[in-house]
Amino acid sequence: MYFLIWIKKHALFCIGAVLLLILLAITFAGPYLPFVDRELSKITYILNEDKKPVIPPYPPSEDYLFGTDKSGRDLLSLIILGAKETILLVACITVLRYALAIPLSFLAHKKWMGTHLPLKWLNGLLSYIPTIIIVMLLAMLPPFLLTEYRPLFLLLIIGLAEMPRAAEMIKLEFDQISSKEYIYGGIAAGASPSRLFRTYYLPFLFSKLLVYMVTDLGKVMFLLGQLGFVGIFISQDLVQSMGGDWQLVNNSISWPMMLMKAFEDIRGPIWIPFFPAFAMTCAILTFNIIAQGLKSFFTKKVRYI
Amino acid sequence: MLHSILKSAAVFLLILIGFILILLLPREQEITVFSAFHVEADYPFSFELYKERIQDFTDYILTEKGLGDARSGRPVSEESGIFVMRSIKIILPAFMVSMLLGTLMGALQFYRRKKFTGKLQNFLSWLFSSVPDFFLFIAIQYLLILMMQHGLPHFKLYGHENWYSFLLPLISLSVFPFLHMSRFTSAALENEMGEEYVRTTYAKGLGDFKALLHMLWNCWTPILNQAQLVMLYILSSLPIIEKLAGYNGAGKELLFSISSNDEIKALSLMLPFLFIMFITIIFSQIVKFWLVPKGRS
């Protein structure tokens, strides 16, 4: 009975948790489902009723629930197999972003060696120029193009692009908590800085940080989608073509990759960009529901202290 | 007032210089041909080269007295002007819809917050704000294509030639900022609920609607602070949506010029965008100055 009341109280959080479980199940157990083609076999052509060859892509049908891509691979299998890489990338970028933002925001809050000034400037720059343009300009720089660590650098660039914004938000939280009475109480009682941080700041910050991070998962997914349209992606190799010039070649099956030719596909086999974008939308929705659920979960908890 | 405008102008100039410096980082490819079968491409990247490029750029601007001619032979500014005008047709309505209708919608939602319709609206607006605009665009396209196959009259879905071409990009671009504004306004009004003057309004027996007007007048500051964010969001998504729609505006052209290393063109298209951001900031400052009662910051 109590359990039911608890579920009703935190309905959003529970819905979010269930959706997340479904997402994780698809990510990790999905590839072993019977209708998933793990080999991603390609089809050159299929003979129709008149014995005429028809080349892929094929529209969604009973054989292919989501249709196929241009080389005849089943889109549903592609999306399920690509989920792991996509979710992992999004999580990596978000964790990286906050791993840098949290210490930086603390230093900026303390105004240590003028850290707060560059942070302010970076935020000014980023509030003028769209993130995607910045990432595009930096991702195509030669030092990041030619290294074998390109994926790592790109993770860094995408993580750093919105890092100042996150740091600024956390800094505001720090500022707000610092002006509270009980902090003075802690200082007067002689708590050491580390203890202050652990027992005075962290319990209040922790919930906020968690909500920010989960919300950012959705934002990173959105940014990766946008970059997919532009054709910039994390796992790319630079390959010399026959003509002697270099081209970026993609060898990944993550969702943003399938959006790469979207502006061509949208005029014909529109299901190719539609379903990956749909998968991304579902993931973003899941993250947002959890974030909202966590928010209400924590506000209720804090109120009864 | 003047002081804050001057400060914004200084920030704008610094950001412009910062952007040009990022744009000029060496990214050119050097191809050396040894023989018919031996070609090597190299990307030189050094500080000297960077300095040289900055020098070349300033010389170019000074000698051409502007941005010079494009690869097509026409002046760059003239060519970019055409693209920018096309984009303005999307940017301005999207901004207006988000700021004005969004705020109105938020006030309405706050007004009905205890009724079932208000709760439903709250849920729906929250749900739809999780949908990325590019998916919205593709979904609308897909739906229209399917409907056309089942008897909807045919019209052109792509390009920029028809009078209605800008509608689809506009709709998919406006949804998120519109919902953001509506949710933000409703939250800002919620924050005002605890204030003394609201209680006074109710005590005078003025009723819900009058109280809402009082509260709205005190919410202008946070609402206007969102103007920059809304504009940034619109400008961020514009290139992608234009590219998907085949709408030849400044956003689509900007993506192309960046990927083809045409700095002058990229700058000529980015300048109006930065300037639009600047105007938005100045505009919201001036409106705040007129609307916000003195003594309340």
Side-chain angles (χ1 to χ4, degrees):
Chain A
M1 195 62 221
Y2 278 121
F3 185 62
L4 282 177
I5 290 171
W6 189 87
I7 284 190
K8 201 178 166 188
K9 211 164 156 186
H10 305 295
L12 253 175
F13 177 70
C14 295
I15 295 170
V18 169
L19 283 174
L20 183 70
L21 281 177
I22 293 172
L23 187 69
L24 290 177
I26 288 175
T27 307
F28 292 104
Y32 304 103
L33 288 172
F35 54 84
V36 173
D37 173 16
R38 271 198 300 279
E39 305 300 314
L40 289 177
S41 45
K42 298 180 178 181
I43 305 168
T44 37
Y45 64 89
I46 291 181
L47 291 176
N48 65 359
E49 297 89 37
D50 313 334
K51 291 277 182 284
K52 288 245 171 65
V54 184
I55 51 166
Y58 306 116
S61 61
E62 278 171 23
D63 298 343
Y64 303 109
L65 208 55
F66 285 5
T68 69
D69 70 351
K70 282 176 181 161
S71 48
R73 296 181 297 182
D74 178 30
L75 259 186
L76 179 62
S77 310
L78 265 175
I79 284 172
I80 289 177
L81 292 174
K84 197 179 285 180
E85 189 184 338
T86 316
I87 304 279
L88 195 71
L89 278 176
V90 168
C92 270
I93 290 172
T94 312
V95 169
L96 190 76
R97 180 180 293 174
Y98 278 85
L100 293 165
I102 295 166
L104 186 69
S105 65
F106 186 70
L107 293 178
H109 160 70
K110 287 278 179 227
K111 297 194 171 149
W112 179 78
M113 287 178 66
T115 325
H116 56 294
L117 293 172
L119 188 65
K120 213 167 152 180
W121 277 111
L122 277 173
N123 263 312
L125 185 76
L126 290 173
S127 65
Y128 258 96
I129 304 171
T131 318
I132 183 172
I133 302 286
I134 294 257
V135 174
M136 260 184 94
L137 284 172
L138 293 177
M140 298 314 278
L141 285 179
F144 307 134
L145 265 181
L146 299 173
T147 61
E148 52 211 85
Y149 302 115
R150 178 172 164 84
L152 206 66
F153 277 117
L154 270 181
L155 277 179
L156 256 176
I157 290 172
I158 297 173
L160 281 174
E162 297 234 328
M163 191 273 290
R165 184 185 51 81
E168 185 70 20
M169 279 199 312
I170 304 167
K171 177 182 171 281
L172 284 177
E173 293 293 337
F174 269 123
D175 291 348
Q176 223 172 5
I177 293 175
S178 292
S179 61
K180 291 238 163 79
E181 294 279 323
Y182 71 89
I183 296 283
Y184 293 120
I187 295 168
S192 63
S194 69
R195 191 194 161 109
L196 258 184
F197 183 77
R198 266 201 336 268
T199 49
Y200 288 73
Y201 281 93
L202 207 57
F204 287 87
L205 263 181
F206 178 73
S207 55
K208 287 261 168 59
L209 275 180
L210 205 60
V211 172
Y212 285 155
M213 275 179 93
V214 177
T215 314
D216 260 27
L217 285 174
K219 284 186 177 156
V220 171
M221 183 71 95
F222 177 67
L223 184 64
L224 283 185
Q226 285 195 319
L227 286 170
F229 284 111
V230 187
I232 288 181
F233 204 62
I234 294 184
S235 39
Q236 285 175 315
D237 288 337
L238 207 64
V239 174
Q240 196 169 13
S241 68
M242 289 294 285
D245 57 341
W246 294 81
Q247 284 175 336
L248 284 169
V249 172
N250 298 298
N251 42 17
S252 103
I253 51 163
S254 57
W255 301 338
M257 271 334 309
M258 300 181 218
L259 303 171
M260 215 179 133
K261 293 266 182 283
F263 51 97
E264 295 167 20
D265 293 340
I266 203 169
R267 283 153 186 66
I270 192 168
W271 56 89
I272 299 177
F274 177 83
F275 286 108
F278 179 65
M280 289 174 113
T281 307
C282 290
I284 291 173
L285 194 64
T286 305
F287 296 142
N288 282 356
I289 288 178
I290 293 178
Q292 198 73 13
L294 281 173
K295 226 187 221 165
S296 63
F297 189 76
F298 284 124
T299 44
K300 279 174 184 149
K301 217 172 131 184
V302 169
R303 200 175 291 168
Y304 297 129
I305 283 179
Chain B
M1 173 70 192
L2 195 67
H3 174 76
S4 66
I5 288 184
L6 281 175
K7 198 175 152 191
S8 303
V11 169
F12 170 66
L13 277 179
L14 281 169
I15 280 166
L16 183 62
I17 292 166
F19 177 75
I20 293 175
L21 288 179
I22 294 175
L23 196 65
L24 287 177
L25 284 167
R27 54 186 86 233
E28 288 289 320
Q29 182 180 45
E30 273 186 12
I31 295 178
T32 28
V33 182
F34 291 96
S35 70
F37 301 104
H38 182 184
V39 180
E40 281 188 11
D42 187 28
Y43 290 90
F45 189 82
S46 66
F47 193 69
E48 283 74 35
L49 191 69
Y50 186 35
K51 271 207 307 214
E52 194 182 314
R53 278 170 60 93
I54 294 173
Q55 189 63 45
D56 285 350
F57 177 78
T58 41
D59 288 349
Y60 179 86
I61 296 285
L62 291 174
T63 50
E64 295 282 353
K65 302 258 186 312
L67 292 164
D69 289 347
R71 291 174 189 180
S72 62
R74 280 188 308 179
V76 169
S77 46
E78 188 185 311
E79 210 172 56
S80 301
I82 298 169
F83 292 122
V84 172
M85 277 323 288
R86 274 183 207 146
S87 285
I88 294 267
K89 236 164 79 177
I90 296 179
I91 295 170
L92 267 185
F95 183 70
M96 288 295 162
V97 163
S98 312
M99 289 307 286
L100 297 174
L101 293 183
T103 309
L104 208 67
M105 200 74 181
L108 197 69
Q109 187 182 318
F110 177 76
Y111 194 67
R112 297 190 306 197
R113 70 192 180 282
K114 290 194 177 110
K115 299 190 183 79
F116 173 72
T117 45
K119 281 180 179 152
L120 184 73
Q121 186 190 342
N122 188 13
F123 174 73
L124 282 179
S125 69
W126 183 78
L127 190 76
F128 270 93
S129 61
S130 295
V131 177
D133 46 23
F134 55 79
F135 174 70
L136 196 71
F137 184 83
I138 296 173
I140 294 174
Q141 293 274 38
Y142 204 4
L143 196 72
L144 285 173
I145 289 172
L146 288 178
M147 277 162 73
M148 278 181 194
Q149 284 170 353
H150 292 106
L152 189 81
H154 251 279
F155 58 87
K156 274 193 69 171
L157 286 173
Y158 310 102
H160 59 272
E161 295 84 3
N162 309 67
W163 63 268
Y164 53 76
S165 294
F166 73 100
L167 282 174
L168 255 186
L170 174 66
I171 291 166
S172 34
L173 202 61
S174 310
V175 166
F176 181 85
F178 167 77
L179 291 174
H180 169 84
M181 270 329 283
S182 121
R183 283 167 55 220
F184 187 86
T185 308
S186 153
L189 286 166
E190 200 76 59
N191 281 343
E192 288 289 311
M193 267 318 262
E195 296 285 333
E196 297 274 324
Y197 71 88
V198 182
R199 200 186 306 169
T200 313
T201 320
Y202 279 114
K204 279 161 102 177
L206 284 176
D208 273 341
F209 184 70
K210 284 281 186 199
L212 184 68
L213 282 184
H214 274 76
M215 284 150 75
L216 206 56
W217 216 250
N218 279 321
C219 284
W220 290 136
T221 312
I223 288 172
L224 282 165
N225 283 345
Q226 295 297 305
Q228 188 182 356
L229 206 87
V230 165
M231 192 49 109
L232 182 71
Y233 178 82
I234 291 172
L235 292 185
S236 301
S237 282
L238 185 78
I240 305 289
I241 296 287
E242 276 186 356
K243 192 167 177 163
L244 278 176
Y247 187 95
N248 273 340
K252 183 177 176 227
E253 208 54 34
L254 177 69
L255 290 183
F256 175 73
S257 59
I258 287 178
S259 54
S260 63
N261 291 336
D262 190 346
E263 287 91 14
I264 299 292
K265 194 165 184 182
L267 183 67
S268 73
L269 292 162
M270 196 66 201
L271 258 178
F273 280 177
L274 290 176
F275 202 70
I276 288 171
M277 284 301 301
F278 177 62
I279 297 279
T280 310
I281 291 165
I282 295 291
F283 165 80
S284 66
Q285 276 178 350
I286 289 173
V287 175
K288 245 192 296 193
F289 183 74
W290 284 113
L291 277 184
V292 177
K294 302 283 175 293
R296 258 188 86 110
S297 54

